[in-house]
Amino acid sequence: MSPVDALIAQANLSGEIGYVVADARTGLVLEARNPNVGLPPASVAKSITTAYGLAHLGAGHRFSTQVVATGPIKSGKIQGDLILEGGADPVLDTDGLAQLVKTLKAKGISGVTGAYKVYSDALPYVAEIDPDQPDHLGYNPAISGLNLNHNRVHFEWKRSGESYSVAMDARSDHFRPAVSMSRMKIVNRSLPVYTYKASSGVDNWTVAKGALGKGGSRWLPVRRPDLYAAEVFQVLARSQGIQLSKPQVAQKMPSGTVVASQSSVPLGDIARSMLKYSTNLTAEVIGLSASRKRGVSASSLSASAREMSTWVQSSLGAKSANFVDHSGLSDASRISAQDMVNALVSLGADGDLHRLLKEIPARGPDGKALKSAAYKVRAKTGTLNFVSALSGYIVAADGTPMVFAIFTADLKQRRAIKRANRERPQGAQGWSRRSRLLQHKLINRWATLYGT
C-alpha cells in the first residue's frame, strides 16, 4: 500500500474522494486522485463567487442604501413620499440604518405628508437559498435588494418559573429594536422544535417548550427582508422624533431627491470577511450583483449561478463546473478537483483571491495545531452534512507555490437524512472530522514532498 493510500485508508471515509495538487505557476499536476469526478464544493464555491464578483464589480465597489424624497422639505416635513431604497448591500446592519436616521434628523426632517415606502428590486427576491434546508436555519435566509443583519432576526428566551419571556429584535453593536414582523409563540410540545408559517408579510414561528431549557438565544432567518428593514428603520426614526406611517412596498423606484445615503465598505473587504466567516447571504448577493453587472437579468438564484458557471468555464478553465447557487449551500452544485485547481491557477498564486483567503493553521498527524510550520496555507473550507471540502494555495518552506483542491462526499448518506434532522444528523460530525484530518495530512505530505 502506498503512503497516500494508507492515509486514505486511515481516514475511514465512506463516499467519494477527489483531490489534485499542482504547481501554481504552471498548472503541472503533482498528485491526483479521481481528479475529474464532480462533487459538491460546499462553501468552497465562495472562492469562485469572490473571483466572479471582483471581475465584474471591482474590489473597490461599494453598495449604497438611500433614503429618497419625492418632494421638497417644508417646515420639517417631506412634501411627498419617503422611500427607503435598497442597493443590495449584503452587510447593512441596524447601526447603518441608524446612521441614515441620524442624517434625516440633522436635516430637520420630522415626517412626511405622503407615504412611507420601501424599494428592494435592485436584486430579485429569493425566499430562501436552499429549499431543502429546515425552515429555522439562520444561514438559509431570504435575499432581496434590501438586506439587514444578514436577513436574520435575534430570538431570545428567558425562563421565569414555569413560563418564558421571549424577544425578537434586530440587534447590532449599538441597537436592539424590537420587531413585530417576526413573531414567536411557545407551544407545549417536545417535537418539532420549530414550525414556520408566513402570513401577510409576517414570519410566524412556534417553538417547543420542551426544547427551551433555562434560557438561550439564536438567530432565525427572515423571509421578507424588505419589510424587516422597513420596520426597523421606522422604529429607529420614531426614536428620533420622525414619524412614519406603515411601510408600503414600492413596485418601481419613483424619481426624487436623495436625502440620506449609507455606503458599504469596499467589495474587497466584504469578500475577505465573507471568506472568513462563510456568510451565505453575502455570497449570494455578490453573485447576483455580478450577474446583473454582466448584463443578464438573473431573475433567479439558479439563473445567476448558471451565468457564473458559464463565466468560470470560459474564463478560468473549469470546463465542467456547474453551480446552482453562489454560496455552496445546495448540494446540487458540482465541480471537480481538477477544474477547481484550473481556476486557482488562472487566478494566480499572487492574485486577489490568494490575498483575500483566510490563513489555515497547519495541523499535525494527530489533528492538533502546529505551533510552527514550514509552510503556509490560504484556503476556503466547505462543510455540509457528509460533504467536506478544502481548496486554496500552499506556499512551501522554499517558497514553492502550489494550488490544491480536496473534495469528499457521501451523497448516499446525505440523501438519507430526513429534512427535519438536517441541522445535526447522526454520524455527520464524526465523518466531517475524519475528512478534515485527512485534508491536513494530505497538505503536510504535499508541502514536504513537493516543496523543495
Side-chain angles (χ1 to χ4, degrees):
M1 182 181 292
S2 70
V4 70
D5 287 336
L7 291 181
I8 291 172
Q10 290 167 10
N12 192 29
L13 283 177
S14 57
E16 295 183 283
I17 299 171
Y19 65 74
V20 172
V21 60
D23 185 295
R25 294 163 298 196
T26 66
L28 175 67
V29 174
L30 304 173
E31 189 172 301
R33 178 179 292 257
N34 298 323
N36 298 312
V37 175
L39 293 171
S43 285
V44 166
K46 293 181 175 73
S47 295
I48 298 297
T49 299
T50 296
Y52 186 54
L54 294 176
H56 293 87
L57 301 172
H61 176 80
R62 294 175 185 263
F63 299 90
S64 180
T65 306
Q66 301 182 145
V67 179
V68 176
T70 63
I73 303 169
K74 293 182 180 179
S75 301
K77 289 193 174 184
I78 294 172
Q79 306 299 301
D81 298 337
L82 180 150
I83 302 100
L84 177 63
E85 179 190 2
D89 186 351
V91 294
L92 178 68
D93 62 8
T94 300
D95 287 358
L97 287 185
Q99 284 298 315
L100 289 172
V101 170
K102 185 178 180 181
T103 300
L104 297 183
K105 180 71 172 179
K107 292 185 175 181
I109 296 173
S110 60
V112 300
T113 61
Y116 166 42
K117 298 181 179 181
V118 58
Y119 179 78
S120 63
D121 285 353
L123 293 180
Y125 169 72
V126 179
E128 53 190 335
I129 299 170
D130 182 12
D132 290 334
Q133 300 285 344
D135 291 326
H136 64 277
L137 299 182
Y139 54 74
N140 187 33
I143 307 163
S144 80
L146 179 58
N147 307 291
L148 181 68
N149 301 330
H150 295 115
N151 292 342
R152 302 177 307 169
V153 63
H154 191 261
F155 164 46
E156 185 174 20
W157 64 95
K158 296 180 181 179
R159 186 171 183 171
S160 178
E162 295 300 316
S163 62
Y164 290 87
S165 61
V166 299
M168 305 287 277
D169 64 61
R171 65 180 56 195
S172 57
D173 288 344
H174 300 99
F175 300 92
R176 293 188 178 185
V179 297
S180 62
M181 60 75 58
S182 187
R183 302 171 183 174
M184 180 63 71
K185 181 180 180 181
I186 298 174
V187 178
N188 191 19
R189 66 169 188 260
S190 297
L191 292 173
V193 177
Y194 292 96
T195 67
Y196 169 79
K197 185 177 181 180
S199 177
S200 302
V202 176
D203 291 337
N204 293 294
W205 296 94
T206 73
V207 62
K209 185 177 181 180
L212 294 180
K214 294 181 179 179
S217 65
R218 73 172 294 158
W219 292 94
L220 293 171
V222 167
R223 299 296 176 213
R224 284 296 303 269
D226 55 344
L227 297 181
Y228 176 50
E231 181 183 6
V232 173
F233 184 83
Q234 181 186 38
V235 171
L236 294 170
R238 186 186 308 124
S239 71
Q240 295 297 315
I242 303 172
Q243 300 301 315
L244 300 174
S245 58
K246 183 178 179 180
Q248 302 174 17
V249 176
Q251 300 302 321
K252 62 180 182 178
M253 185 59 207
S255 59
T257 302
V258 176
V259 291
S261 181
Q262 175 73 16
S263 293
S264 72
V265 297
L267 177 61
D269 294 335
I270 292 174
R272 178 180 286 107
S273 179
M274 181 265 288
L275 290 167
K276 180 178 180 179
Y277 297 107
S278 210
T279 43
N280 294 330
L281 182 278
T282 304
E284 301 301 351
V285 167
I286 291 174
L288 285 164
S289 298
S291 292
R292 286 286 176 97
K293 187 71 173 181
R294 193 169 159 83
V296 296
S297 62
S299 58
S300 68
L301 205 58
S302 58
S304 179
R306 283 195 298 272
E307 191 64 25
M308 185 172 79
S309 300
T310 299
W311 174 79
V312 74
Q313 289 167 13
S314 61
S315 300
L316 302 184
K319 299 301 183 182
S320 64
N322 183 18
F323 297 97
V324 302
D325 60 26
H326 305 287
S327 64
L329 185 57
S330 170
D331 64 7
S333 290
R334 292 290 184 272
I335 189 169
S336 68
Q338 183 63 66
D339 275 347
M340 191 68 206
V341 161
N342 290 345
L344 294 178
V345 170
S346 296
L347 292 167
D350 298 314
D352 290 336
L353 179 62
H354 186 188
R355 290 189 287 270
L356 293 174
L357 285 168
K358 178 177 66 174
E359 186 169 328
I360 304 295
R363 297 184 180 275
D366 58 358
K368 294 182 179 179
L370 296 175
K371 293 182 179 180
S372 61
Y375 60 88
K376 299 289 185 182
V377 177
R378 287 190 175 274
K380 182 70 190 80
T381 60
T383 304
L384 298 170
N385 294 322
F386 297 104
V387 173
S388 181
L390 184 67
S391 181
Y393 299 86
I394 304 170
V395 178
D398 67 348
T400 299
M402 292 175 273
V403 294
F404 72 95
I406 308 169
F407 296 138
T408 60
D410 186 338
L411 297 178
K412 183 178 180 180
Q413 283 207 70
R414 178 171 172 78
R415 292 179 183 126
I417 305 168
K418 294 182 179 179
R419 186 172 185 268
N421 299 330
R422 287 178 184 170
E423 186 171 15
R424 296 184 184 90
Q426 185 176 4
Q429 187 174 9
W431 188 95
S432 293
R433 184 171 56 250
R434 295 193 301 276
S435 178
R436 288 192 295 269
L437 182 57
L438 173 62
Q439 292 162 7
H440 285 287
K441 287 181 177 180
L442 288 171
I443 290 171
N444 285 332
R445 167 185 166 79
W446 298 334
T448 302
L449 190 59
Y450 305 114
T452 59

